[in-house]
Amino acid sequence: GVEIGGDTVGLITYMRTDGVQLAQEAVTAMRKQIQAEFGDQYLPVAPRIYQSKAKNAQEAHEAIRPTDIALKPEKVARMLNAEQARLYELIYKRALACQMSPAELDQTAVDLTDGKGQTLRATGSVLAFDGFLKLYKEDQDDAPADADDDSRILPPIAKGDPAKTRDVTATQHFTQPPPRYSEASLVKKMEELGIGRPSTYASILSVLRDRNYVKLEARRFIPEDRGRLVTAFLVSFFARYVDTGFTANLEEQLDEVAEGKANWRRVLRAFWDDFSNAIGQTKDLKISDVIDALDHDLGPHFFPAREDGSDPRACSACGTGRLGLKLGRYGSFIGCSNYPTCQYTRKLAVDGGETEDDSLKDGMRLLGQHPETGDDITLRRGPYGLYVQQGEPDPEDKKAKPKRASLARGMDGATLTLEEALGLLSLPRLVGLHPETGQKIEANIGRFGPYVKMGALFASLDRDDNVLHLGFNRAMDLIAKKQESVKTLGQHPKDGADVLVRKGRFGPYAQWGNIVANLPKGVEMTSLTLEEAVALLAEKGKTLAPRGKKGAKAKPAAKAATKPAAKPTAKPAAKKPAAKSKAKPAAKATTKPAKAKKTA
């Protein structure tokens, strides 16, 4: 909404709808606006009425339109940001155009002849009356695949008009595969199939990107390897539930429940019985079964056919092994069947600082020697990406491992220099000392990416930051922003440990060691004192559950503390089963007009 005359005014009607009907008062106002702005020739005799062709359309609300047609885009643009102004202009023009007269196009074939038997033909449309196109013309994601598509617009031309030769180019056309889905075409397809609702389309598209199932290139969705893996798994073991027909049918059943035509208990029971059985069938599956199924389905993608006809799965390191999909501690990767004799591995997907490099076909590349120790500095490929290594393992001391460092985000393995590799191996890097506290400020790379650290305070680096060249001012800025979310109140009187107040996901909270307590409603972080925090922790403090290995060991320890029974006195109870969960100048031109109408 925008503020007009001291009142906040909503610019558009409810946006989560695929309804195409318009309120009568809105249609009347639009027709008055069209007549006043464009003239009678652009106003149809009767209002235009539309019907939805979408399956399972939700038409409880009218179509998206401006709440007041008098609020033109240029009038409200100054009150909106650039994206909002463009969106409002689109909604305004499309809504107004839908009540304008249709455009009239002459379907025309133009024959150009040179008098020597040479004839060139162009087919297309000549705009006779622009109609709604005077205001609004819809863009297309995909250009017509056929060069002679009748939908192309030709200039006005009459029989006998002289033609001039400009440039003549000979082009060869090949049959192209169907274009990948864009956001608009994917939503249109889901509408055709009856999948999803207007309120869910945006979240579906965002989940595809947020979970790295796809990436957006030139406004097209390109599947990522993670998305291929998830899809292959679901199609292999839950084919029924990812079938578009099943999803659309379930949407229809839920609509019937909402309309009171179906019993919701029966609908849910029928779904759950089959679904729980499908889950039960996967309980006995081994990981190897799943990996083999994925390896079979995704083989043509990960191992495309070679031009020389050789085996695309042949290991380039040992020459005798067969490459296949493997599962490791940190996810899936491509590995050799001769493991552990051959330790060749490569990532499934390559992104960021993990770019493929042809010089790494043998798994490593020498960058140079360390200036002090003389050790070889190598770039290697591991199951989790590219990394640099100093020296080699000591055959006599198997516990001693050479120093290694993963490539930082944005680094290219093909162009990595010795200096950059040495910089990675020297991490953590001292950036400077805090001017007030004198604490060290260090930059390093951790499990979740590059970061800057001061004491117990950690702040992640942005995508444009370079961990090897991060300046002191930038580091201080990151630390300062992080300090806004964490404040030290003082030392606890019992053990002298710091009492902190932090910004949390569900609001600010106080922390002392592993004990936390949410701040009362209305209490700000800046106003909380040490005494208040100590009292709050004593009264409402909760102990955080341990994480990682410590948490895993906590349960067995508790069991060991229980007193064992001396001797069983009765038979153990039976276990209860778990619930199922270019041409020459032409002499003349002939036309063959045919009228056609185009509507908004």
Side-chain angles (χ1 to χ4, degrees):
V2 296
E3 191 172 329
I4 300 177
D7 297 327
T8 301
V9 178
L11 292 179
I12 64 171
T13 56
Y14 188 67
M15 74 289 291
R16 291 186 172 184
T17 177
D18 51 3
V20 295
Q21 71 278 11
L22 291 170
Q24 184 60 45
E25 58 267 27
V27 174
T28 302
M30 289 179 186
R31 288 177 59 82
K32 289 181 180 179
Q33 183 72 22
I34 294 167
Q35 187 176 28
E37 188 173 348
F38 301 102
D40 292 338
Q41 66 272 32
Y42 289 93
L43 183 66
V45 176
R48 303 186 64 84
I49 300 174
Y50 299 88
Q51 292 181 349
S52 177
K53 295 180 181 179
K55 193 175 181 180
N56 298 330
Q58 288 187 329
E59 298 180 300
H61 299 272
E62 62 174 318
I64 307 170
R65 64 169 176 84
T67 55
D68 186 353
I69 205 66
L71 293 175
K72 296 184 178 182
E74 57 269 20
K75 183 177 180 179
V76 300
R78 57 185 178 82
M79 308 175 192
L80 307 172
N81 61 39
E83 290 187 356
Q84 292 172 340
R86 290 177 61 196
L87 178 58
Y88 180 72
E89 182 181 13
L90 171 65
I91 295 172
Y92 183 94
K93 287 184 175 181
R94 188 177 178 100
L96 193 60
C98 82
Q99 292 300 318
M100 294 176 68
S101 297
E104 296 182 6
L105 303 172
D106 290 340
Q107 300 295 332
T108 307
V110 182
D111 292 333
L112 304 174
T113 62
D114 62 356
K116 298 179 181 179
Q118 300 282 351
T119 301
L120 297 175
R121 166 166 286 192
T123 59
S125 303
V126 176
L127 186 63
F129 174 65
D130 52 5
F132 73 92
L133 294 176
K134 187 175 184 69
L135 174 65
Y136 173 77
K137 184 178 180 180
E138 193 172 64
D139 196 8
Q140 292 182 341
D141 285 337
D142 306 313
D146 188 350
D148 294 326
D149 196 327
D150 291 342
S151 65
R152 69 174 62 197
I153 301 298
L154 299 177
I157 190 169
K159 184 176 180 179
D161 285 353
K164 294 181 180 180
T165 301
R166 293 182 179 175
D167 296 329
V168 175
T169 56
T171 59
Q172 186 176 9
H173 294 274
F174 296 94
T175 301
Q176 297 294 328
R180 293 196 177 275
Y181 285 115
S182 64
E183 290 186 336
S185 61
L186 183 56
V187 168
K188 183 178 180 181
K189 186 64 177 179
M190 288 192 290
E191 286 180 343
E192 292 175 0
L193 296 172
I195 297 172
R197 290 291 185 265
S199 58
T200 62
Y201 292 146
S203 61
I204 291 172
L205 299 179
S206 63
V207 165
L208 290 175
R209 296 192 298 270
D210 294 344
R211 296 185 182 176
N212 296 322
Y213 293 152
V214 297
K215 60 182 177 181
L216 205 58
E217 289 185 358
R219 301 194 300 177
R220 298 287 175 186
F221 286 124
I222 309 298
E224 293 277 43
D225 289 326
R226 174 180 288 187
R228 293 181 186 273
L229 282 170
V230 172
T231 302
F233 172 76
L234 293 174
V235 169
S236 296
F237 302 105
F238 295 93
R240 180 181 177 221
Y241 299 98
V242 293
D243 180 74
T244 56
F246 171 82
T247 306
N249 182 58
L250 188 58
E251 294 270 15
E252 289 179 359
Q253 292 183 50
L254 294 176
D255 284 342
E256 290 177 357
V257 170
E259 295 169 6
K261 297 178 181 179
N263 185 293
W264 65 270
R265 290 184 176 87
R266 292 178 183 174
V267 172
L268 290 181
R269 186 179 297 112
F271 166 79
W272 181 249
D273 287 345
D274 292 339
F275 187 62
S276 59
N277 288 334
I279 294 175
Q281 293 172 10
T282 62
K283 286 182 179 179
D284 297 331
L285 283 174
K286 298 177 182 178
I287 293 296
S288 57
D289 297 331
V290 177
I291 294 298
D292 290 343
L294 298 181
D295 182 74
H296 177 268
D297 292 344
L298 297 175
H301 169 68
F302 291 123
F303 311 102
R306 296 175 179 174
E307 294 181 0
D308 57 4
S310 60
D311 185 4
R313 287 181 178 262
C315 180
S316 59
C318 67
T320 60
R322 184 178 183 275
L323 299 179
L325 186 65
K326 307 290 182 183
L327 185 66
R329 182 179 178 184
Y330 298 101
S332 48
F333 61 96
I334 301 297
C336 180
S337 60
N338 286 339
Y339 177 87
T341 305
C342 177
Q343 298 189 4
Y344 173 84
T345 60
R346 67 177 172 87
K347 275 178 64 78
L348 290 180
V350 180
D351 52 10
E354 301 159 335
T355 306
E356 286 284 6
D357 184 0
D358 291 340
S359 63
L360 288 174
K361 287 183 178 178
D362 295 330
M364 61 172 285
R365 173 162 62 92
L366 180 65
L367 298 175
Q369 283 74 38
H370 196 284
E372 297 177 2
T373 65
D375 291 334
D376 288 343
I377 306 298
T378 53
L379 174 67
R380 300 172 182 250
R381 181 192 292 115
Y384 319 118
L386 299 179
Y387 66 94
V388 291
Q389 178 175 304
Q390 179 180 342
E392 297 292 340
D394 187 351
E396 297 180 358
D397 188 359
K398 294 183 178 181
K399 293 184 179 180
K401 294 182 179 180
K403 192 170 185 179
R404 296 171 178 172
S406 299
L407 266 64
R409 184 172 53 209
M411 284 188 171
D412 189 344
T415 60
L416 189 73
T417 63
L418 175 63
E419 290 73 22
E420 289 175 329
L422 292 173
L424 290 171
L425 291 166
S426 66
L427 293 174
R429 178 175 70 90
L430 179 65
V431 180
L433 301 177
H434 195 280
E436 296 177 1
T437 64
Q439 288 180 288
K440 290 182 180 180
I441 299 177
E442 297 176 321
N444 201 356
I445 299 176
R447 180 181 177 186
F448 303 106
Y451 65 89
V452 63
K453 171 193 174 187
M454 185 182 74
L457 202 63
F458 294 79
S460 298
L461 269 61
D462 290 342
R463 186 172 292 274
D464 297 331
D465 292 324
N466 189 318
V467 67
L468 301 180
H469 305 289
L470 187 73
F472 180 74
N473 290 339
R474 175 57 179 161
M476 283 294 296
D477 182 46
L478 292 169
I479 292 292
K481 288 181 179 178
K482 191 67 178 180
Q483 285 178 323
E484 292 177 0
S485 62
V486 181
K487 179 185 175 184
T488 303
L489 300 177
Q491 296 178 338
H492 199 282
K494 284 189 176 180
D495 60 359
D498 288 339
V499 177
L500 310 173
V501 59
R502 299 173 176 269
K503 281 184 181 178
R505 183 179 178 184
F506 304 106
Y509 64 94
Q511 181 174 3
W512 167 46
N514 64 341
I515 299 176
V516 297
N518 292 330
L519 269 63
K521 208 172 205 180
V523 177
E524 301 292 337
M525 285 179 57
T526 53
S527 63
L528 189 71
T529 64
L530 175 62
E531 292 75 14
E532 292 172 340
V534 171
L536 182 64
L537 288 164
E539 181 184 354
K540 297 184 178 181
K542 296 180 181 179
T543 304
L544 292 173
R547 294 182 179 180
K549 294 181 179 179
K550 292 181 180 180
K553 291 178 181 177
K555 289 184 179 178
K559 259 188 187 178
T562 60
K563 189 176 180 181
K567 192 181 285 186
T569 58
K571 289 184 179 181
K575 288 186 178 180
K576 188 177 180 180
K580 292 183 178 180
S581 36
K582 199 167 216 199
K584 296 180 181 179
K588 61 181 181 179
T590 62
T591 63
K592 300 176 183 178
K595 290 238 174 176
K597 288 187 177 182
K598 183 177 181 181
T599 60

